[in-house]
Amino acid sequence: MDQLKARAACVGVGFVRSCAVAVVSMLVPAVWAAAVALGIAWGAANPWSWLAPLVLVCVGTLGLARPVCRAIRALVARWTGTAIPAGYRQAGPVTRMSTGYWWNGFGYERTSRDALLDQKTRVRWRDPANWRDLRFMAVLPCTAGLVACLPAAGVAAAVVALGMTGRVALPVGALGLAVAVAAAPYAWRPVEPVAVRFLRPSPAMALADRVAELTVQRADTTVAQAAEIRRIERDLHDGAQARLVGLGLSLATAEMLMASDPEQARALMRDARVGAAASLAELRELVQGISPPVLTERGLVDAVRALALDVPLDVTVGADDGLRLEPPVESAVYFGVAELLTNAVRHAGASRAGVSLTHDGVGIVVEVEDDGRGGADARPGGGLAGLRGRLAVFDGTVEIASPVGGPTRVRMTVPCESL
């Protein structure tokens, strides 16, 4: 009984999905059929009878191509979980120049509205994805669309046969119903491979998207580097530099008091020695923030273990012994782990954390887990968003799983070779 219910549910779901694919797939052919019917209705005697059908075919096909492709992507993603990148060109920002005109990436306009309208039109009709969508409109009805019509055609044949009289009516109706039931669970499935094959971005489109992504990453990296340089300058100016200036003044005063007041001179020299020690400690902390010596000398694994000892958490570190990477990758991963452990202390209220570093043959895989309150997400401008941006420079990824109440698991992957 349960198997019968499951089979009926599978047939019902498959029938609905097949009908959805058939309707979406046949929208453009329906426009073509309407154009042909319009031409026939006007008659061959009218010398302009071909113009209206031609306009209808062109406008209907161009207007429906992108919505149909988006609908197919949405159906495939919802039913199978396969996400097909759209690959459409995105409009850039519209900027007002000092002359008062607006620049939209293609030309200058007097108002922002005109600039946006001109930009939208140019981006829409110069997009190479238009040709891909038009090709898909020709392929889809003849492949997945035709197969998806089988269940509906079988039901239609059964209904028509039941309304007829004769010896063959009952066999035809039964055959149509059998075809509908047998094909329903499978008739919608060809839409996935067809969509993946013909709707994915072309190599040229993927390359253009990658160039745009790298351009954004370069800009973010430049901004981050400038901010880091300003931080170092501020720390040096407000900390070690101020102390060294005070140290110089103390030594100069001690030199003048050496003959007249030796005790006061010795006191100033003792203060100068304390100031020198404090300046040295601040410089060491600054160097530690730029590039920890243990990371340079002993590698990523020992640097993370040393970091775990300084964090006020019970941190366990598991790693492949002898794991060494290129210095830029090691630095990015190290500061990523430091960011995650800092978040576990400051924001999550965690008491324990675990760090795992492994190389899976393709790249470094780092997993950080804590028992904090959870709820972490990569908000724009936040630490996790910055971490994702820093690893994206190396084609790295950051996956965050942090339900409210915890635990928080963050997985960082960076493709690289192990030295």
Side-chain angles (χ1 to χ4, degrees):
M1 192 64 170
D2 293 338
Q3 293 182 353
L4 184 60
K5 290 181 179 180
R7 177 63 181 175
C10 182
V11 171
V13 171
F15 183 79
V16 172
R17 292 181 177 181
S18 300
C19 290
V21 173
V23 170
V24 175
S25 304
M26 296 302 171
L27 285 176
V28 173
V31 172
W32 299 342
V36 173
L38 180 62
I40 295 174
W42 277 22
N46 190 339
W48 299 101
S49 61
W50 58 271
L51 182 59
L54 179 62
V55 172
L56 180 60
V57 167
C58 294
V59 174
T61 303
L62 292 175
L64 289 174
R66 187 164 291 190
V68 168
C69 292
R70 286 175 174 168
I72 291 296
R73 288 192 194 90
L75 293 177
V76 170
R78 182 176 180 180
W79 295 340
T80 67
T82 302
I84 304 175
Y88 298 121
R89 284 185 176 177
Q90 302 297 322
V94 175
T95 307
R96 187 173 187 179
M97 311 303 293
S98 59
T99 59
Y101 285 83
W102 293 81
W103 171 255
N104 59 11
F106 302 96
Y108 297 93
E109 300 293 339
R110 291 184 178 275
T111 64
S112 61
R113 179 178 178 276
D114 293 340
L116 288 171
L117 182 61
D118 177 69
Q119 181 191 61
K120 181 179 179 180
T121 303
R122 291 175 183 265
V123 171
R124 174 66 174 85
W125 298 111
R126 291 185 179 184
D127 194 344
N130 293 331
W131 298 106
R132 177 203 61 191
D133 292 350
L134 291 175
R135 180 187 63 176
F136 185 69
M137 289 299 94
V139 171
L140 179 63
C142 303
T143 54
L146 194 61
V147 176
C149 290
L150 284 177
V155 172
V159 171
V160 171
L162 291 178
M164 298 172 57
T165 59
R167 187 177 301 176
V168 297
L170 185 59
V172 170
L175 179 61
L177 189 60
V179 169
V181 172
Y186 312 102
W188 63 272
R189 297 183 183 275
V191 71
E192 180 188 5
V194 172
V196 171
R197 170 62 181 84
F198 292 99
L199 272 186
R200 62 186 178 186
S202 65
M205 296 161 59
L207 179 60
D209 292 342
R210 181 58 175 161
V211 169
E213 180 182 354
L214 291 176
T215 302
V216 174
Q217 291 176 3
R218 182 183 63 183
D220 293 341
T221 303
T222 302
V223 172
Q225 288 177 345
E228 185 68 13
I229 291 174
R230 288 194 299 270
R231 182 189 70 82
I232 295 172
E233 290 177 347
R234 184 176 61 253
D235 291 346
L236 287 174
H237 182 272
D238 298 340
Q241 181 178 343
R243 289 184 181 276
L244 290 176
V245 171
L247 176 61
L249 293 176
S250 298
L251 291 176
T253 304
E255 183 179 4
M256 290 186 295
L257 294 176
M258 188 64 69
S260 60
D261 192 350
E263 290 297 329
Q264 184 65 24
R266 281 194 289 270
L268 289 175
M269 294 181 68
R270 285 194 295 269
D271 293 340
R273 184 176 59 196
V274 173
S279 300
L280 181 59
E282 289 185 1
L283 288 174
R284 285 175 176 170
E285 291 180 0
L286 183 61
V287 172
Q288 180 78 13
I290 299 173
S291 180
V294 65
L295 178 64
T296 305
E297 297 171 1
R298 303 185 61 179
L300 176 63
V301 175
D302 289 339
V304 171
R305 286 172 176 165
L307 176 65
L309 296 176
D310 295 334
V311 175
L313 289 175
D314 181 12
V315 182
T316 58
V317 179
D320 296 338
D321 294 332
L323 177 62
R324 292 302 301 264
L325 309 173
E326 293 290 340
V329 178
E330 285 192 336
S331 178
V333 172
Y334 172 83
F335 285 107
V337 174
E339 175 75 22
L340 296 175
L341 292 180
T342 301
N343 289 345
V345 175
R346 293 182 179 177
H347 307 297
S351 59
R352 295 189 305 275
V355 181
S356 171
L357 301 98
T358 58
H359 195 282
D360 61 357
V362 177
I364 179 71
V365 179
V366 182
E367 295 183 352
V368 180
E369 180 178 354
D370 65 70
D371 62 349
R373 62 177 63 95
D377 59 348
R379 293 183 295 271
L384 293 177
L387 171 60
R388 181 168 288 169
R390 288 194 299 271
L391 293 184
V393 176
F394 304 95
D395 288 335
T397 60
V398 178
E399 300 175 5
I400 304 171
S402 182
V404 177
T408 297
R409 297 183 181 89
V410 180
R411 176 184 175 92
M412 300 182 292
T413 59
V414 180
C416 60
E417 294 184 356
S418 178
L419 301 180

